[in-house]
Amino acid sequence: MPVITLYIQPGAKQSRIVGLHDGLPKIAIKARPIDGEANEALITFLAELGGVPKRSIEILSGQTSRTKRLEVDQLVVSALEKALSSG
């Protein structure tokens, strides 16, 4: 499965793809970074975006950082690329 690197902004008004930050896709997540809530919300957001089960997304590194490396299904990569190119 592909590995992607994202920049995450927790505590936003709504979860959405914002654009790019230092060349990385930036995703605003509504959940706050407390007790892993933002990480879980990110996985849920990406799973819904790609239409895949949450189990097909895994955070490889950056659990406590805004920059995260994730292993994701190709459908998530395609949906992310489509959203970035249309926005």
Side-chain angles (χ1 to χ4, degrees):
M1 289 202 306
V3 174
I4 59 173
T5 303
L6 302 174
Y7 182 83
I8 309 305
Q9 175 192 345
K13 285 190 176 194
Q14 66 182 29
S15 295
R16 64 189 181 98
I17 299 169
V18 178
L20 296 176
H21 177 83
D22 288 338
L24 298 175
K26 179 179 178 182
I27 299 179
I29 294 295
K30 187 174 181 178
R32 299 183 64 209
I34 299 171
D35 296 329
E37 289 176 18
N39 289 338
E40 183 59 34
L42 172 63
I43 290 170
T44 300
F45 176 78
L46 292 174
E48 289 174 359
L49 180 71
V52 298
K54 292 192 289 185
R55 68 179 178 273
S56 65
I57 300 170
E58 179 183 355
I59 298 175
L60 300 175
S61 65
Q63 281 80 358
T64 59
S65 170
R66 288 183 177 226
T67 303
K68 302 185 183 302
R69 286 183 61 241
L70 298 99
E71 186 174 49
V72 298
D73 188 283
Q74 182 60 43
L75 292 172
V76 174
V77 175
S78 298
L80 187 58
E81 288 171 347
K82 182 178 179 182
L84 287 170
S85 67
S86 67

